[in-house]
Amino acid sequence: MKKHGWFGLERHRWGKLLKLSDDDLEFFQLHEEADIEHSDAGWRAVERFAKQLHMEDAVVAACEKNLRCGSCT
């Protein structure tokens, strides 16, 4: 996820599922970089505010909970 972002994973999944060429998957390729950039900006904000508010442990706990159950939170 960190290396390719959500669009990178979807690009691979759709390509494999539907046997699409790289040209067919151009939409995903174009958005892959932006997805990573936006995700990184969000994570930097979480890091900064967690430190400022002394909530590092709460952030880690929330991430662990989210990863365990995805949309079940």
Side-chain angles (χ1 to χ4, degrees):
M1 183 68 83
K2 177 86 173 141
K3 184 176 178 182
H4 297 284
W6 180 82
F7 272 97
L9 295 176
E10 285 298 294
R11 179 178 186 269
H12 176 75
R13 187 173 75 91
W14 282 90
K16 186 175 180 181
L17 180 69
L18 300 173
K19 298 178 180 27
L20 300 172
S21 71
D22 283 340
D23 289 340
D24 295 330
L25 296 164
E26 183 179 10
F27 169 83
F28 291 102
Q29 187 173 3
L30 292 172
H31 289 82
E32 191 173 323
E33 264 187 58
D35 187 40
I36 293 168
E37 185 177 327
H38 294 145
S39 293
D40 286 349
W43 284 115
R44 285 190 298 274
V46 168
E47 177 187 24
R48 184 176 74 236
F49 288 112
K51 284 181 181 178
Q52 285 177 2
L53 300 171
H54 307 288
M55 296 181 69
E56 295 96 330
D57 292 340
V59 168
V60 171
C63 290
E64 287 174 344
K65 180 181 177 183
N66 191 41
L67 287 170
R68 263 189 250 117
C69 193
S71 63
C72 300
T73 58

